[in-house]
Amino acid sequence: MNTALPPRAALTDPAARAHPGSPHAAAVSAAERLCALRQQVFGVSLASAAERVSVVVYALTTAHGDPADALAEAQGFAVSRRWQVRGCFHDVTGDTEPRTRPGWDRVRQALLEQRAHGVVMPTRTHLSTCDRLYRAELCWCRDQRVFLGLVHPETAL
């Protein structure tokens, strides 16, 4: 079974092709670095995975939001890759520290208990808009040899 992510799509946003010294270039570079780290973690985590890949899906919503669409998008992404979905988790909160959220804590517990090879979410903003916090969770995934899959890569934001 081919579980590799498709090649990173070419950036189509004019700001993404900005001159290296422009303010937009720094943001794109950070997004590209985070995307590369996530893809590296993905490769490491699946290197020893069984042929049948299992995942949990995760979404973050605001107080009056409904996570159903975001969870369905992440689940559809996983199913399209023939990954087995072992659970759906969400949090209803603002963009807080991921480790303080009960739903994210349940995701981490499922991964620690090896109930899934990784977690899938629509975009990185469901985990954090803060590069430092997002990177910390990617590093945690790497250390646990699990992956974080995104429907829309960091460079698409």
Side-chain angles (χ1 to χ4, degrees):
M1 177 167 116
N2 181 4
T3 57
L5 287 177
R8 193 170 2 153
L11 297 173
T12 57
D13 179 13
R17 296 188 307 266
H19 184 273
S22 77
H24 296 295
V28 170
S29 295
E32 287 178 332
R33 284 191 303 273
L34 289 168
C35 186
L37 175 60
R38 183 177 52 79
Q39 289 175 340
Q40 175 191 24
V41 169
F42 183 89
V44 167
S45 67
L46 287 185
S48 61
E51 186 166 315
R52 184 74 169 150
V53 175
S54 60
V55 297
V56 294
V57 297
Y58 177 77
L60 176 67
T61 65
T62 57
H64 299 289
D66 182 356
D69 289 343
L71 290 170
E73 183 178 29
Q75 188 167 0
F77 179 85
V79 169
S80 73
R81 281 152 182 74
R82 297 186 177 163
W83 296 343
Q84 183 178 23
V85 177
R86 293 278 176 100
C88 297
F89 303 96
H90 74 279
D91 283 301
V92 179
T93 182
D95 187 28
T96 59
E97 160 73 49
R99 293 183 188 190
T100 65
R101 300 181 205 145
W104 184 247
D105 186 54
R106 288 190 291 278
V107 166
R108 292 175 109 224
Q109 193 61 40
L111 296 172
L112 284 171
E113 292 171 0
Q114 299 179 349
R115 289 185 273 154
H117 297 100
V119 57
V120 176
M121 60 190 71
T123 66
R124 66 141 304 165
T125 60
H126 286 261
L127 188 53
S128 183
T129 57
C130 172
D131 287 352
R132 179 183 55 79
L133 294 175
Y134 181 69
R135 175 180 279 283
E137 292 305 303
L138 282 176
C139 290
W140 181 86
C141 287
R142 179 196 60 214
D143 294 346
Q144 303 308 315
R145 299 186 63 82
V146 298
F147 70 88
L148 189 150
L150 298 178
V151 176
H152 307 283
E154 296 84 352
T155 54
L157 297 180

